[in-house]
């Protein structure tokens, strides 16, 4: 009996010491401390319960159910089931986060931690822990998350605006370049037509006219070679009378190719010299890197007076071909007049010499 009494007294002294320690911790902590005795199923709570949640110690029942009833209904089943599973599983530390009802009717977000003391059999004998109000922390985290999401949203919106603005700017630049290119093309073709017109109006001789016309073709149509052939009345054979360009080459298209264009009385255009039946024998042209050829007959009414030909180191744009087609009739008529004037002048000279 003396031994049993001694053990009971010793246990009571340990409980009192433990309680005193909890009281000291409660004074030093701003959390709501709690201590659950499994033997009595009673819970001791610290004054922090009133500080954090508004409940006095007299209002807080010592039964664990008082705490469970104030856990938010949406969290209650999860929290209680996890706690019971922990007590039965044999662990030492438990932690959970949930909403807890304050006395004023609002809810606090609580982080609850507990440490369990177990007997030799592993059954929980006592559990001590603390409830920490993390409402402000969670609100700050939520505010930070919201601010971050808003910032990301604004960044996405601003990025989209910048992408749209950049796309619009690129379209505007492309359109401006297209317009500028079109204007340059118009100036180029107008300069070509003016050069042909000036040659026909200002040149005093046929040879000078032909020379200035081929120079205008080479300069304004980006041609590597420009030729003008005249069809002689005797023999009806083409004769090369003028040539100009970036490439000086003694070899020229064979006369039969020029004759074929004159006889057909229609333009002949190829963007691939080696693959065209009329020009594929012009190996010199391939050697010089010429890829495109255009030949336009110069005829007035039923008479073909010549053929103008053009070689290029790149395919002809449609505008160049349209320009050649546009001046063909003008050039044919001008050459006809020049040749008639020279023939008349030659006739007068013969008559004067005879007289």
């Amino acid at each position: 009996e003396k031994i049993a009494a001694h053990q009971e007294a010793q246990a009571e002294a340990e409980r009192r010491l433990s309680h005193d320690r909890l009281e000291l911790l409660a004074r030093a902590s701003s959390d709501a401390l709690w201590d659950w005795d499994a033997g009595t199923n009673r819970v001791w709570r610290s004054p922090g319960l009133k500080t954090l949640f508004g409940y006095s110690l007299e209002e807080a029942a010592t039964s664990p159910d008082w705490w469970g009833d104030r856990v938010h209904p949406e969290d209650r089943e999860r929290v209680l089931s996890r706690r019971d599973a922990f007590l039965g599983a044999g662990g030492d530390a438990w932690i959970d986060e949930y909403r807890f009802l304050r006395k004023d009717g609002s809810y606090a977000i609580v982080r609850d931690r507990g440490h369990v003391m177990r007997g030799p059999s592993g059954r929980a004998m006592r559990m001590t822990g603390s409830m920490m109000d993390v409402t402000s922390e969670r609100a700050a985290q939520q505010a930070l998350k919201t601010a971050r999401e808003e910032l990301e949203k604004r960044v996405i919106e601003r990025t989209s605006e910048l992408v749209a603005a950049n796309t619009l700017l690129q379209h505007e630049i492309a359109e401006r370049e297209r317009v500028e290119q079109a204007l340059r093309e118009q100036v180029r073709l107008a300069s070509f037509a003016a050069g042909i017109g000036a040659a026909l109006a200002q040149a005093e001789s046929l040879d000078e006219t032909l020379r200035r016309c081929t120079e205008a073709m080479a300069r304004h149509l980006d041609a590597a070679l420009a030729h003008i052939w005249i069809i002689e009345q005797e023999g009806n054979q083409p004769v090369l009378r003028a040539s100009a360009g970036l490439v000086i080459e003694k070899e020229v298209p064979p006369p039969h190719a020029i004759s074929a264009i004159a006889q057909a009385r229609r333009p002949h255009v190829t963007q691939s010299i080696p693959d065209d039946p009329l020009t594929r024998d012009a190996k010199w042209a391939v050697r010089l890197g010429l890829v495109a050829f255009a030949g336009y007959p110069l005829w007035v009414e039923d008479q073909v007076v010549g053929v103008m030909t053009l070689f290029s180191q790149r395919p002809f744009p449609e505008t160049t071909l349209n320009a050649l087609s546009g001046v063909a009739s003008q050039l044919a008529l001008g050459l006809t007049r020049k040749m008639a004037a020279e023939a008349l002048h030659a006739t007068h000279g013969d008559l004067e010499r005879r007289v």
Side-chain angles (χ1 to χ4, degrees):
E1 293 180 359
K2 290 182 179 181
I3 295 175
H6 176 72
Q7 290 177 341
E8 183 177 349
Q10 187 178 5
E12 179 62 26
E14 290 177 354
R15 282 194 294 269
R16 190 171 300 167
L17 179 60
S18 177
H19 183 270
D20 291 343
R21 288 174 177 170
L22 282 175
E23 290 288 351
L24 289 173
L25 286 172
R27 293 176 188 176
S29 174
S30 60
D31 296 341
L33 306 183
W34 51 268
D35 181 61
W36 170 66
D37 189 331
T40 62
N41 197 30
R42 293 172 65 85
V43 180
W44 169 87
R45 295 183 175 86
S46 74
L49 187 70
K50 182 173 180 61
T51 304
L52 296 182
F53 310 115
Y55 298 108
S56 67
L57 296 180
E58 291 75 18
E59 293 176 295
T62 58
S63 168
D65 293 340
W66 181 89
W67 163 78
D69 291 341
R70 283 158 180 76
V71 175
H72 194 284
E74 295 179 359
D75 300 338
R76 187 176 302 148
E77 181 179 356
R78 170 181 60 81
V79 173
L80 296 180
S81 62
R82 286 184 179 180
R83 183 204 61 180
D84 294 343
F86 162 75
L87 290 173
D92 295 329
W94 165 80
I95 182 171
D96 209 339
E97 197 166 294
Y98 53 86
R99 288 165 289 180
F100 187 77
L101 181 65
R102 295 189 181 102
K103 186 176 180 178
D104 63 8
S106 63
Y107 279 91
I109 301 175
V110 170
R111 182 184 298 128
D112 207 344
R113 302 172 185 269
H115 294 270
V116 67
M117 295 174 57
R118 299 182 182 275
S121 65
R123 189 173 70 86
M125 298 178 62
R126 186 177 179 182
M127 190 172 179
T128 302
S130 64
M131 298 170 65
M132 180 186 294
D133 187 347
V134 295
T135 305
S136 298
E137 179 183 335
R138 289 291 174 266
Q141 290 175 350
Q142 182 59 42
L144 181 60
K145 179 183 177 183
T146 301
R148 185 182 295 111
E149 291 174 348
E150 181 63 24
L151 179 60
E152 290 176 352
K153 179 182 177 182
R154 291 182 180 179
V155 169
I156 292 173
E157 291 175 350
R158 183 57 179 159
T159 301
S160 299
E161 292 174 358
L162 290 174
V163 169
N166 184 63
T167 301
L168 179 60
L169 179 61
Q170 293 299 323
H171 287 167
E172 291 178 352
I173 292 174
E175 179 62 19
R176 186 179 298 114
E177 289 177 349
R178 187 192 65 79
V179 171
E180 291 176 353
Q181 177 61 30
L183 289 175
R184 286 194 295 268
E185 189 70 3
Q186 290 179 6
V187 170
R188 182 176 73 91
L189 298 180
S191 299
F192 169 64
I196 296 296
L200 294 175
Q202 299 171 4
E204 296 182 357
S205 66
L206 176 62
D207 287 338
E208 183 183 357
T209 301
L210 296 174
R211 178 184 60 78
R212 292 179 60 174
C213 285
T214 55
E215 289 176 351
M217 291 164 61
R219 181 183 308 113
H220 299 298
L221 300 185
D222 192 26
L225 270 177
H227 294 150
I228 294 182
W229 305 70
I230 298 298
I231 305 298
E232 291 187 343
Q233 298 301 319
E234 297 180 2
N236 201 30
Q237 291 298 316
V239 176
L240 180 60
R241 293 286 298 270
S243 109
L246 305 176
V247 178
I248 304 301
E249 180 64 39
K250 294 181 179 180
E251 299 179 81
V252 294
H256 75 269
I258 307 304
S259 297
I261 296 173
Q263 293 171 7
R265 294 192 178 185
R266 61 174 178 268
H268 183 88
V269 177
T270 178
Q271 306 285 23
S272 179
I273 289 175
D275 300 321
D276 186 84
L278 199 63
T279 59
R280 62 188 176 193
D281 292 335
K283 294 181 174 52
W284 61 271
V286 176
R287 185 175 65 254
L288 294 173
L290 306 180
V291 300
F293 168 81
Y296 283 75
L298 306 174
W299 56 290
V300 178
E301 296 180 352
D302 292 333
Q303 182 181 2
V304 178
V305 296
V307 174
M308 62 176 175
T309 60
L310 211 62
F311 288 88
S312 177
Q313 293 175 324
R314 59 182 60 87
F316 292 117
E318 192 66 26
T319 51
T320 294
L321 299 178
N322 291 339
L324 288 171
S325 179
V327 302
S329 298
Q330 177 189 4
L331 183 55
L333 183 60
L335 294 181
T336 300
R337 291 174 177 171
K338 287 286 184 182
M339 288 188 290
E342 286 197 353
L344 181 60
H345 181 73
T347 300
H348 286 168
D350 290 342
L351 290 176
E352 289 175 356
R353 282 192 296 273
R354 290 177 184 179
V355 173

